[in-house]
Amino acid sequence: MSENVAQTTNGKTPVDFWFDPSCPWAWMTSRWVLEVEKVRDIEVRWHLMSLGVLNEDKLDELPEEYRDFLTNHAWGPVRVVIAAQQEHGAGVLGDLYTALGTRIHNQGEGPTKEAVAGALKDVNLPASLLDHWDATPYEAELRASHKEGIEKVGQEVGTPVIAVPGTDGEQVAFFGPVVTPAPKGEAAARLWDGTLLVASTPGFYEIKRTRTQGPIFD
């Protein structure tokens, strides 16, 4: 589940982050890790995963509302994002995710075609990427990116997946951290330092409690 950690070209420690743009909890975690970039010597590398792919074999077991979301709303945004990555490079993912999340979550537009169209415009990507909404020739690439992230943590988790430095120059991956609202400043740094601490502990797997509060977007 681990791999060697190479520094980025600017000498920063890479942190790999897998997200589905429709997931509010991944959005919370992503805002936290961007805060960490300001106060620790790290650089986030963005990757795509898919709640649709994750749950496609267990739809019958899910509540009707979530099943409807996965069937009718989860696929369009990730198809557009994987097309943007394939046609314009991985470097567009961070800004596109920020534009998408701001519209989908903070502004309450939801994972709609209109929200995605607006996000593409916000980051000066071509509107023609919306042609991938219902189907994309890049589905194999989407599934490969999803598989890369989920194989680091196992099938019993969701999004986000984050891979951080562990011991002996290797990465350790986790689901989460799930947090709301996203910590800022020194609070973000403390959570990061704690994440590194558990990542460097051999045999550590899980800390969890029941969520009693929904995502707080600010």
Side-chain angles (χ1 to χ4, degrees), residues 81-113:
V81 175
I82 196 66
Q85 178 188 8
Q86 292 298 307
E87 296 182 5
H88 299 275
V92 305
L93 287 182
D95 288 344
L96 179 56
Y97 184 27
T98 291
L100 285 166
T102 299
R103 286 180 173 271
I104 291 171
H105 304 298
N106 290 51
Q107 297 177 8
E109 297 179 32
T112 63
K113 198 170 186 177

Side-chain angles (χ1 to χ4, degrees), residues 17-35 46 49 51 93-108 119 122 158-161 175-184 215-218:
F17 192 106
W18 281 262
F19 68 94
D20 182 311
S22 299
C23 178
W25 296 106
W27 176 245
M28 292 283 91
T29 308
S30 73
R31 299 309 94 181
W32 160 69
V33 80
L34 286 180
E35 281 290 313
W46 303 100
M49 63 184 298
L51 291 172
L93 287 182
D95 288 344
L96 179 56
Y97 184 27
T98 291
L100 285 166
T102 299
R103 286 180 173 271
I104 291 171
H105 304 298
N106 290 51
Q107 297 177 8
D122 292 340
T159 173
V161 169
F175 161 63
V178 176
V179 61
T180 187
K184 294 180 173 58
I216 299 171
F217 307 123
D218 56 12

Side-chain angles (χ1 to χ4, degrees), residues 115-207:
V116 175
L120 291 173
K121 184 177 181 181
D122 292 340
V123 295
N124 297 313
L125 285 171
S128 59
L129 288 168
L130 278 177
D131 295 343
H132 296 266
W133 184 267
D134 294 312
T136 179
Y138 304 120
E139 182 168 326
E141 288 82 358
L142 170 62
R143 290 178 178 273
S145 180
H146 174 89
K147 181 180 179 181
E148 181 187 13
I150 206 68
E151 283 189 342
K152 294 178 180 292
V153 290
Q155 296 292 331
E156 298 81 16
V157 301
T159 173
V161 169
I162 184 171
V164 304
T167 57
D168 300 324
E170 295 184 335
Q171 275 189 323
V172 176
F174 296 111
F175 161 63
V178 176
V179 61
T180 187
K184 294 180 173 58
E186 263 317 297
R190 287 195 299 271
L191 179 56
W192 170 252
D193 294 342
T195 301
L196 291 185
L197 179 62
V198 298
S200 65
T201 302
F204 174 84
Y205 289 100
E206 184 175 7
I207 293 176

